[in-house]
Amino acid sequence: MLDTARVLTRLRARGAVYFKHGKGKRVGAVIRRAEEIIDLNHTGLVVATIFFAWSVTPSLVPRDWLFQGLISGINAALGYGVGCILQWLFYKWIRPQLTMIGTPPVLVRDLVKIAIVLSCILFAAYMLVMSADWQREIYSLMGMEGTSRAAYLRTGGLSLLVGVIVVAVYRTLRELVRFIARQLSRWVKVPPTLAPATGALLLTILIVTLFNGVATSAFFSVANSAFSVRNDTKSDFARQPTLPERSGSPQSLAKWETLGFEGRWFVAHGPDPLLISALTGKPAREPIRVYVGLESGGREMTQEQLAVAELERTGAFDRKVLVIVTTTGTGWVNSMSAAALEYMYGGDTAILASQYSYLPSVLSFLADRQKVAVAGKKMFDAVYERWSSRPENARPKLLVYGESLGSQGSESAFTGLADLRSKVNGALWVGPPNSNRLWEQFVSRRDPGTREVDPIYADGLVVRFAAQAADLEKPSPDWRYPRIVYLMHPSDPIVWWSPDLLSSQPDWLSEPRGSDVSSQMRWWPFVTFWQVAADLTNAQGVSDGHGHRYGSLVLDGWAAIAPPEDWTPELREKIRVQIELAEDFERVVK
């Protein structure tokens, strides 16, 4: 777009020379023809530059030049479209009313166009330089190595390329609308004044129908099939367990082949009694890990019935602690969270998890939100019915856990805070999506004067929110059982993304910023929504303690909710070191 503007400028300069030799008409015709082909809308260019500038302002997580170029290019293309609409509205409705204003000379119009192009180039370059500094600030806040100005300037070229492609796609659709309009006028005898609108309506209906119906179904069907292939694979480091305390063992009702990739990893790993005893200095039991995959159930038993049967078979209801984990899309379980609790209780634990989808968490969020809610409620209700049938003094502590979309599924088992507290001995929910029903109620009803990023609900008597371990001690030592904990970082886009960002400024951007959020981040209509939406795909591309990476903070969450009788700060730090080492190993080999 900008290169073509330079070409036109040179053509006009040459045209001025040729004009002296009587060739002005021919050159002028060439220039006009070039402008018709390029069809550069200068109002659109100005608005596109503004949208580009907005898009390179700070967001929640850091971005490299490649990722930022893609985001900014799409933003600029959207701005270009807005500018074109504004110019059309001006000439359609406002310009005819300005009868006193004449048309400026051609030379003046050309000079204005050149000034617009140059100003847009300079302003975009300035914003890129500023953006590089902002990105370095965000990297610094998260303890990561930043990018250089020179490297970040490549964002401009990529944004231009992406923007041109998007505009070209739009213009192709526009020509298609015009073609449909001509055919309607020719064959259906639609009046010429109505044909373009009718053509646009028909094309829109076709696209929406395909997107909402055939295309969407096909996409998720293909995605489901593609990820189901991975579900059937297994890591070389995940061997079938032989102990009866694990699902997938020869004694298990849930067969090894049916557990899926994540399920096989979950039951094949974790601390054993020797490792636990070496760390705690006390005798330990073999931890129970029960897992039910999508293919584990059948005609004889549903997933929920099979899960309860597995809990019965392994003796899970006789352990000190029983945890119901609602997984993310593919059935992933946070190994650090599971191992932390097993170390804390000397292996006298039982952890149940199940799979409800083949899709990764992001796609599950788009396609399977209702599915995770139904799955979470069904599994909890089945286990709770069996657990509550036992005498009170013969029940293990019943805890619930969910991370990301899993927290939404786990929440769905309860109608409210009173229902939650009456059924469980504690809940730990990590990185909850903004659409979580209970989370939204607690945060929106937070105590006056507390921020959205670190709210206090009802003086912290039951529910608490934490971005770091020290937050669990606030606002006072008076914290009653059963306890509910939400772990959430100020920089986690999964927590803060919401459709409301389109039209309203959230409290977390109007209040003082969180500790790892840039002080320069601002809310802009639509743009902030798009930026945070883009951050969702990079939520874990940061260091632990930021974004959607909670690391060993889950250990502190469990210690706050359900500390064992012999719990000490020294033991906590020993466990922290051990689970962090195990996590490093898993990242390498999984």
Side-chain angles (χ1 to χ4, degrees):
M1 205 160 17
L2 300 180
D3 289 338
T4 55
R6 291 195 185 103
V7 170
L8 291 176
T9 302
R10 291 173 182 171
L11 285 173
R12 289 194 182 95
R14 292 180 182 178
V17 175
Y18 290 149
F19 186 79
K20 297 179 180 179
H21 297 84
K23 300 180 181 179
K25 292 183 179 180
R26 186 171 59 184
V27 174
V30 171
I31 294 175
R32 285 191 296 273
R33 181 55 182 162
E35 287 181 326
E36 289 174 2
I37 294 172
I38 297 169
D39 194 19
L40 178 63
N41 186 298
H42 289 77
T43 304
L45 181 60
V46 171
V47 181
T49 305
I50 294 172
F51 271 55
F52 172 84
W54 278 335
S55 72
V56 297
T57 56
S59 189
L60 287 174
V61 295
R63 299 172 176 176
D64 59 24
W65 71 271
L66 180 61
F67 187 76
Q68 183 66 69
L70 294 172
I71 301 303
S72 296
I74 296 174
N75 256 334
L78 292 173
Y80 187 82
V82 171
C84 291
I85 293 173
L86 291 176
Q87 179 170 299
W88 179 82
L89 291 173
F90 174 80
Y91 280 104
K92 181 72 174 179
W93 302 106
I94 300 177
R95 183 65 179 84
Q97 309 302 322
L98 304 177
T99 56
M100 301 298 294
I101 300 177
T103 303
V106 174
L107 179 59
V108 173
R109 294 202 302 269
D110 289 347
L111 291 176
V112 169
K113 290 178 181 179
I114 293 172
I116 287 174
V117 172
L118 292 177
S119 298
C120 289
I121 294 172
L122 293 175
F123 183 61
Y126 168 77
M127 290 302 299
L128 282 174
V129 172
M130 294 296 295
S131 180
D133 294 338
W134 291 326
Q135 290 298 319
R136 284 203 298 272
E137 177 196 7
I138 300 173
Y139 276 110
S140 176
L141 289 172
M142 298 188 178
M144 302 169 66
E145 185 177 351
T147 184
S148 65
R149 284 184 178 179
Y152 214 73
L153 287 175
R154 289 177 291 185
T155 296
L158 180 58
S159 299
L160 177 61
L161 177 61
V162 172
V164 168
I165 292 173
V166 173
V167 171
V169 170
Y170 161 75
R171 289 183 175 178
T172 301
L173 293 175
R174 183 181 64 183
E175 291 303 316
L176 183 57
V177 168
R178 291 174 176 173
F179 172 78
I180 294 173
R182 288 194 299 270
Q183 301 310 309
L184 289 172
S185 298
R186 180 180 179 184
W187 301 105
V188 190
K189 305 304 181 184
V190 175
T193 55
L194 296 178
T198 306
L201 179 61
L202 290 174
L203 184 61
T204 301
I205 292 173
L206 177 62
I207 293 174
V208 170
T209 301
L210 287 174
F211 181 79
N212 288 337
V214 178
T216 302
S217 300
F219 170 77
F220 285 116
S221 176
V222 171
N224 210 49
S225 299
F227 286 106
S228 67
V229 172
R230 181 182 185 274
N231 189 69
D232 293 334
T233 63
K234 63 180 180 179
S235 169
D236 293 335
F237 293 89
R239 304 293 177 85
Q240 182 179 9
T242 58
L243 298 174
E245 290 86 356
R246 301 296 176 100
S247 291
S249 64
Q251 303 91 333
S252 175
L253 301 174
K255 301 304 179 184
W256 171 251
E257 295 78 14
T258 69
L259 300 185
F261 181 89
E262 297 293 349
R264 284 189 285 270
W265 182 273
F266 174 67
V267 299
H269 291 85
D272 58 24
L274 289 176
L275 192 57
I276 296 173
S277 294
L279 188 142
T280 63
K282 299 178 181 180
R285 301 184 68 179
E286 181 67 41
I288 294 174
R289 290 193 173 190
V290 171
Y291 194 95
V292 180
L294 270 175
E295 301 170 8
S296 298
R299 294 182 179 178
E300 297 180 359
M301 285 190 290
T302 64
Q303 278 187 293
E304 297 79 33
Q305 292 170 334
L306 180 59
V308 173
E310 273 286 272
L311 293 175
E312 291 276 15
R313 181 191 66 78
T314 56
F317 292 106
D318 297 317
R319 295 298 177 101
K320 285 185 178 180
V321 176
L322 170 59
V323 184
I324 303 174
V325 176
T326 305
T327 65
T328 59
T330 56
W332 175 79
V333 181
N334 186 334
S335 298
M336 295 183 80
S337 178
L341 203 64
E342 291 165 343
Y343 279 116
M344 287 172 61
Y345 280 88
D348 199 5
T349 59
I351 300 177
L352 163 67
S354 60
Q355 181 186 20
Y356 61 87
S357 175
Y358 295 125
L359 300 176
S361 189
V362 172
L363 292 180
S364 294
F365 181 75
L366 296 174
D368 289 340
R369 273 187 287 180
Q370 187 60 34
K371 185 181 290 186
V372 68
V374 172
K377 179 171 175 52
K378 281 185 177 180
M379 185 60 70
F380 177 83
D381 288 347
V383 176
Y384 178 76
E385 181 180 2
R386 179 64 188 88
W387 175 85
S388 60
S389 68
R390 296 169 64 94
E392 286 192 27
N393 60 357
R395 299 173 184 170
K397 288 183 179 179
L398 182 60
L399 307 176
V400 291
Y401 177 88
E403 186 163 340
S404 192
L405 188 59
S407 71
Q408 192 166 96
S410 186
E411 270 194 5
S412 67
F414 311 100
T415 58
L417 181 58
D419 184 46
L420 173 61
R421 298 191 71 216
S422 69
K423 291 181 177 178
V424 303
N425 299 108
L428 178 59
W429 289 319
V430 181
N434 198 268
S435 54
N436 276 26
R437 179 175 49 84
L438 296 183
W439 177 89
E440 192 279 330
Q441 291 177 8
F442 299 144
V443 173
S444 63
R445 299 173 186 174
R446 64 188 181 276
D447 295 350
T450 62
R451 298 184 302 171
E452 189 174 23
V453 293
D454 52 1
I456 295 175
Y457 175 79
D459 292 325
L461 292 177
V462 177
V463 181
R464 295 197 177 182
F465 305 83
Q468 51 190 350
D471 295 337
L472 295 167
E473 304 299 325
K474 301 174 183 177
S476 70
D478 187 10
W479 191 3
R480 301 171 189 177
Y481 292 96
R483 296 173 173 180
I484 293 89
V485 168
Y486 286 96
L487 303 182
M488 58 188 209
H489 292 144
S491 59
D492 187 350
I494 290 176
V495 176
W496 306 118
W497 181 84
S498 166
D500 293 339
L501 289 173
L502 282 167
S503 57
S504 59
Q505 182 177 10
D507 290 345
W508 57 271
L509 276 176
S510 60
E511 299 166 346
R513 305 290 185 272
S515 58
D516 58 353
V517 176
S518 171
S519 60
Q520 301 301 313
M521 186 175 180
R522 298 288 184 271
W523 176 79
W524 303 99
F526 182 80
V527 175
T528 302
F529 167 83
W530 172 244
Q531 284 186 294
V532 179
D535 286 341
L536 292 174
T537 62
N538 196 35
Q540 293 197 10
V542 295
S543 55
D544 282 349
H546 306 281
H548 201 58
R549 292 276 293 275
Y550 289 87
S552 61
L553 184 61
V554 292
L555 169 62
D556 302 293
W558 285 132
I561 292 170
E565 295 177 358
D566 58 350
W567 187 244
T568 64
E570 292 76 19
L571 179 57
R572 173 164 54 187
E573 295 313 307
K574 286 182 179 180
I575 295 175
R576 191 186 309 279
V577 171
Q578 185 63 37
I579 63 176
E580 287 178 349
L581 288 174
E583 178 71 7
D584 291 340
F585 169 78
E586 181 174 324
R587 289 176 184 171
V588 172
V589 303
K590 191 174 180 181

